[in-house]
Amino acid sequence: MISIILFHIFALQNELNMQRNFYVLITVLLLGFMACTQKAEDGQTTTSKETLDIVTTTGMIGDVVKNIVGDKANVASLMGPGVDPHLYKATQGDLKRITEADVIFYNGLFLEGKMEEILLKLAKKKPVFAISEKMPKSRFIDYNIGKKEERKSKQIFDPHIWFDVDLWSNSVDVILEKMKAQDAKNEAYYTKNAANYKRTLKNLHTESQQKIASIPKAQRLLITSHDAFGYFGKAYDIEVNALQGISTVTEFGLKDVSNLVNMIIDRDIKSVFIESSVAAKPLEAVIEGCQKKGHDVRIGGTLYSDAMGEDGTPAGTYVGMVKHNVNTITGALK
Ligand code: ZN
């Protein structure tokens, strides 16, 4: 009996020792990891880690980064399929991920409404970049057109810049420049990938222009839940209208519904479109309104507006998302 008790005490001690060793090992590993990350003179953190951990806010940005860095860095996006960036609040897990990340890319222009403040704070300590920062400002859509009072106080630009493929391809240059600075050893690889991806985007832009142009001009009216498609409309010559403003935070009233109903009936529009990251219900009020007035309008399909599709599906990449949208719009409005 005593020997059994002694054996248990011995085993327990052994276990405690192992636990202590484990904690010592973890601490050593953590210190080693921290030692690899040094503060540079300009206050930005440079890193000598073999593989960088990059975090992006939206999946669209993550996809551009992946196309540039290939297998030379780890890329994770905080906002997955179906997530609305306007309303998105960082979770505890997100805070941990952005604190641990070596490089962070976000959209800017207040797309990440509730996260922008955290990102701006973090930018003082580590490489955090808004991909819209160096894009040609002249191409941004000023959302305050016609609202003089608001324009005086602050300029608000439409943040949905990924909908003009040509404008979005500027994000490749911004990300490439930053990655070359953060990870010089892979500069040649990143430069080659970026050039290839820009070619893909150029083709996608032309293809999208041609497809939308095939819709007869009178039927070229894109009605969606929220005003995400302003850049799309401008780039591909299609009129756009939505129930809610550029942010899903804005409310809409009965007047907005009846205005849209009248427009659909006047123009004899066949389809309206729901969005993968916005509730469909508000748009259903528009459909009902049309039906009450004897005009049959249907849902032309689901568009990927502020988030890409599930990983591994055709719309799970930026190129696939744009193709899906263009094909859905063309198919339903023609
Ligand atoms: Zn949006």
Side-chain angles (χ1 to χ4, degrees):
M1 183 64 193
I2 288 173
S3 71
I4 290 173
I5 292 170
L6 276 177
F7 175 78
H8 273 275
I9 290 174
F10 180 73
L12 190 68
Q13 261 185 347
N14 234 0
E15 202 176 303
L16 283 172
N17 273 341
M18 272 169 68
Q19 266 185 8
R20 202 166 52 218
N21 286 344
F22 178 71
Y23 287 126
V24 169
L25 180 72
I26 289 292
T27 311
V28 167
L29 281 176
L30 270 175
L31 286 175
F33 169 79
M34 281 156 74
C36 286
T37 316
Q38 307 130 5
K39 269 264 190 201
E41 278 171 7
D42 61 356
Q44 298 261 298
T45 310
T46 55
T47 170
S48 55
K49 257 169 72 186
E50 199 47 45
T51 312
L52 296 185
D53 288 318
I54 304 168
V55 169
T56 74
T57 51
T58 70
M60 289 77 83
I61 303 170
D63 194 45
V64 179
V65 178
K66 275 183 201 162
N67 273 283
I68 297 171
V69 303
D71 57 0
K72 306 284 187 209
N74 304 317
V75 187
S77 302
L78 301 179
M79 302 171 189
V83 172
D84 179 345
H86 306 288
L87 306 175
Y88 192 78
K89 275 189 202 151
T91 63
Q92 282 301 319
D94 291 340
L95 294 176
K96 188 168 177 283
R97 278 161 102 183
I98 57 176
T99 313
E100 287 171 358
D102 300 306
V103 190
I104 298 166
F105 291 107
Y106 70 104
N107 192 84
L109 304 177
F110 298 107
L111 176 76
E112 300 93 343
K114 307 216 160 152
M115 272 192 83
E116 194 139 324
E117 205 178 317
I118 302 169
L119 294 166
L120 287 171
K121 259 187 206 161
L122 209 59
K124 291 177 186 153
K125 293 189 209 145
K126 60 157 75 194
V128 179
F129 307 110
I131 53 139
S132 57
E133 204 179 276
K134 287 191 175 164
M135 287 187 181
K137 241 187 163 183
S138 58
R139 291 187 59 183
F140 288 158
I141 296 177
D142 186 346
Y143 197 65
N144 286 330
I145 289 172
K147 294 180 201 161
K148 273 188 190 155
E149 327 76 59
E150 271 181 47
R151 206 178 336 165
K152 264 184 227 155
S153 56
K154 58 178 176 183
Q155 196 169 28
I156 301 172
F157 291 117
D158 182 341
H160 302 90
I161 44 179
W162 56 94
F163 276 116
D164 174 344
V165 179
D166 183 53
L167 176 64
W168 186 243
S169 79
N170 284 289
S171 70
V172 179
D173 302 319
V174 177
I175 294 166
L176 174 64
E177 186 199 309
K178 304 298 183 192
M179 287 313 298
K180 273 159 51 174
Q182 296 300 319
D183 190 17
K185 66 180 184 301
N186 289 315
E187 181 174 337
Y189 175 76
Y190 294 157
T191 306
K192 193 183 102 217
N193 286 351
N196 283 340
Y197 194 54
K198 279 197 86 160
R199 258 195 302 279
T200 305
L201 295 185
K202 198 163 186 262
N203 292 338
L204 178 67
H205 183 65
T206 315
E207 188 189 305
S208 305
Q209 269 175 330
Q210 287 165 350
K211 281 192 179 161
I212 298 296
S214 73
I215 306 168
K217 185 85 183 166
Q219 279 142 262
R220 239 182 277 158
L221 174 62
L222 175 62
I223 292 173
T224 56
S225 300
H226 94 296
D227 211 349
F229 291 83
Y231 290 97
F232 186 86
K234 216 172 145 193
Y236 306 107
D237 190 23
I238 179 167
E239 204 182 322
V240 293
N241 219 306
L243 199 52
Q244 281 172 286
I246 47 166
S247 168
T248 49
V249 176
T250 55
E251 304 226 334
F252 64 94
L254 284 175
K255 195 164 170 284
D256 301 302
V257 173
S258 74
N259 283 349
L260 267 189
V261 167
N262 291 338
M263 184 183 250
I264 291 166
I265 295 171
D266 284 350
R267 298 276 295 270
D268 195 19
I269 298 300
K270 285 188 253 174
S271 306
V272 295
F273 300 86
I274 51 175
E275 299 170 39
S276 64
S277 53
V278 184
K281 201 143 185 69
L283 211 55
E284 281 162 11
V286 174
I287 296 175
E288 271 171 37
C290 289
Q291 277 162 351
K292 271 185 198 154
K293 289 192 170 185
H295 179 84
D296 217 13
V297 67
R298 62 189 180 94
I299 290 173
T302 304
L303 304 179
Y304 294 96
S305 55
D306 291 3
M308 305 192 305
E310 294 286 342
D311 241 1
T313 65
T317 67
Y318 171 73
V319 171
M321 161 195 191
V322 174
K323 281 189 177 173
H324 167 93
N325 286 348
V326 169
N327 290 338
T328 306
I329 294 165
T330 312
L333 290 183
K334 256 184 167 177

